[in-house]
Amino acid sequence: MLSIAALVPSPPILVPELVGAASRAPGADPDDPPAVLRAAVSAAGATLAGAARHWTVLGSGDADQVFGPDARGTFRGYGLDVRVGLSPDAVADSGAGPDPELPLSVLIAGWLRGQVGPDISVRARVLAADTSAERCARAGADLRAELDAADEPHAVLVVADGAATLSLKAPGYLDDRAAGSQQALDLALDAGDRAALLALDPALCAELSIAGRPAFQALAGLFAADSVDPSVDTLYRDAPYGVGYHVSLWRPGGAG
C-alpha cells in the first residue's frame, strides 16, 4: 500500500561533493542556500525511509524510461564521479560500470537513498517531457493501484523542478511570466490541489522551462482516487538560483 509520497527537486548542488569545499567544511554556514535545501530534502528522505523500505521514483526526462533496483549511475557529467545506485546490491556490484546516461532525477533518487536508507530498494519511472497531462495522470493512478494492492508499505519519491526562468541568471534566463506561474504552482503544491496540477498547460510549462510538469501531474494522478486532496507538509519553497524548488511530504486522503 502507499504510505507516503515526497516531492524534491533535482539540482546537483544537493550532492555535497559537487559544491565548493567551503560548503562542505565543518562549521559551514547553515544558511548557505545549498545547505538549507539539502537539509529539507534529507528530512523528506528520512521520513520516507522511516515509512517504507521500497520506493518508486517518478521523474521527468527526455524520453519514457524505466529503471530497476540494479541501476547504477554517476554524477561525472556534473563535475565529479560520484557514484550512486538504486539498491544495496547495485552499489556493491563491482562488475559493470555506472550508466553515464542515467537521468538526473534518477541520480538524485539514488543519492538520497544512499544518504537516508542504504538498505532501501528503489525503482524509477521517467516520463518524457512531452507526455500529455492525461497520460501523466494515468501513470500516477496506475502506480497507486499497483502499490495499494501490495501487502507491504511503499513510498513514492517525486523528483521535479519548477520554472527555470525566474531570474536573469536562471538556466532559462528571465521570463516575465514565470513568477506568476511559479507562484500558482507553489500554491497548488502546498495545498495538494490535484485539479490545479492537472490543469498545468504543457506548452506554457515548456516555454517557462518547468521541467517537472509531467512528474507534478503524475503526482496528482497518484492521489486521484482519494475522496479529498492529500495532506501536504511543505518543508521548503524557494528559488535561490532562479529555479523553483519545492520540498514536501504528501499523505493520502488527508491522513495525519
Side-chain angles (χ1 to χ4, degrees):
M1 62 173 292
L2 174 67
S3 295
I4 192 171
L7 170 64
V8 303
S10 67
I13 58 166
L14 286 172
V15 181
E17 293 88 343
L18 301 182
V19 299
S23 295
R24 304 196 310 269
D29 184 1
D31 295 325
D32 183 51
V36 174
L37 176 59
R38 190 179 304 123
V41 170
S42 295
T47 300
L48 252 61
R53 313 316 293 169
H54 296 278
W55 297 359
T56 300
V57 174
L58 291 171
S60 309
D62 294 334
D64 281 345
Q65 294 175 282
V66 175
F67 300 91
D70 60 339
R72 296 182 296 278
T74 174
F75 282 93
R76 185 185 297 118
Y78 299 92
L80 201 62
D81 187 18
V82 179
R83 300 190 177 193
V84 299
L86 298 190
S87 69
D89 290 343
V91 173
D93 189 350
S94 59
D99 179 356
E101 303 298 328
L102 210 64
L104 180 58
S105 58
V106 182
L107 287 172
I108 291 295
W111 170 79
L112 184 59
R113 181 206 69 83
Q115 298 301 303
V116 302
D119 60 329
I120 286 171
S121 178
V122 177
R123 57 177 181 154
R125 166 82 186 274
V126 176
L127 297 166
D130 61 355
T131 305
S132 69
E134 292 76 15
R135 283 192 58 214
C136 293
R138 174 50 55 190
D142 289 348
L143 175 60
R144 175 65 178 275
E146 176 187 343
L147 298 185
D148 281 350
D151 293 332
E152 57 188 328
H154 283 71
V156 173
L157 177 65
V158 178
V159 184
D161 296 344
T165 48
L166 291 168
S167 75
L168 293 174
K169 295 184 178 180
Y173 197 63
L174 176 66
D175 189 308
D176 291 337
R177 302 169 296 172
S181 293
Q182 183 63 44
Q183 182 180 35
L185 173 60
D186 283 331
L187 290 174
L189 293 172
D190 284 344
D193 188 337
R194 298 165 292 180
L197 293 175
L198 292 176
L200 291 172
D201 180 0
L204 178 60
C205 287
E207 292 173 8
L208 299 180
S209 298
I210 302 179
R213 190 273 306 172
F216 292 135
Q217 293 183 320
L219 175 61
L222 187 71
F223 292 91
D226 294 332
S227 59
V228 296
D229 284 334
S231 170
V232 178
D233 180 13
T234 297
L235 306 182
Y236 180 98
R237 186 182 71 180
D238 204 353
Y241 305 103
V243 183
Y245 298 145
H246 201 284
V247 181
S248 51
L249 296 167
W250 295 52
R251 295 176 173 87

